[in-house]
């Protein structure tokens, strides 16, 4: 008697798992993005889907490098947290397990001392 592996037969092979933002996560990001666009701070965005992560890039102008990058990397969920916000220089501004507190670093109303 022999054992045969049919896991790859008939197109049933598992490729790399697709990483993307869940609906609630994307709604949170787009809500913040909309507020900043209305305030005149941000102008454009782009979404990059990498092999092990997804990134929401925020631009001040379309021809520049991303001003901020919001990244979801599930492989880091148990270590440092799946979500991170990077600035234009690539420095981590905030990292965490939940998106809400990570996005709070981009809320300019928190840092406005005059209002």
């Amino acid at each position: 008697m022999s054992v045969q592996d049919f896991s790859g037969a008939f197109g049933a092979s598992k490729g790399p798992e697709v990483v993307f933002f869940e609906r609630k996560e994307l709604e949170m990001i787009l809500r913040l993005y909309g507020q900043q666009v209305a305030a005149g701070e941000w102008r454009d965005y782009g979404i990059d889907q990498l092999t092990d992560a997804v990134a929401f890039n925020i631009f001040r102008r379309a021809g520049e490098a991303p001003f901020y990058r919001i990244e979801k990397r599930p492989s880091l969920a148990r270590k440092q947290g799946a979500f991170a916000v990077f600035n234009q220089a690539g420095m981590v501004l905030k990292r965490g397990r939940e998106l809400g507190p990570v996005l709070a670093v981009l809320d300019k109303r928190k840092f406005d001392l005059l209002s």
Side-chain angles (χ1 to χ4, degrees):
M1 180 170 163
S2 65
V3 177
Q4 296 179 355
D5 181 19
F6 291 103
S7 62
F10 307 110
S13 65
K14 290 188 176 184
E17 186 175 330
V18 176
V19 177
F20 203 75
F21 293 109
E22 294 178 13
R23 183 181 183 110
K24 289 183 180 183
E25 297 165 350
L26 197 56
E27 285 176 359
M28 291 172 65
I29 293 170
L30 289 174
R31 187 177 311 119
L32 174 65
Y33 175 77
Q35 292 170 354
Q36 296 298 330
V37 167
E41 295 290 323
W42 300 344
R43 302 224 190 284
D44 199 7
Y45 74 92
I47 298 176
D48 288 335
Q49 193 169 8
L50 309 170
T51 57
D52 62 339
V54 63
F56 187 93
N57 300 310
I58 300 165
F59 299 91
R60 279 199 172 164
R61 288 171 189 73
E64 295 180 351
F67 190 60
Y68 292 112
R69 186 174 82 234
I70 303 164
E71 188 176 276
K72 178 181 179 180
R73 193 174 295 268
S75 62
L76 296 177
R78 293 187 181 192
K79 298 174 185 172
Q80 302 170 352
F83 300 100
V85 174
F86 297 88
N87 67 5
Q88 193 169 15
M91 294 176 46
V92 177
L93 299 178
K94 180 91 173 172
R95 189 181 297 272
R97 289 180 170 84
E98 295 181 16
L99 184 59
V102 173
L103 289 180
V105 75
L106 299 177
D107 192 2
K108 293 220 180 220
R109 291 175 290 171
K110 280 184 15 181
F111 302 111
D112 191 11
L113 300 176
L114 301 176
S115 59

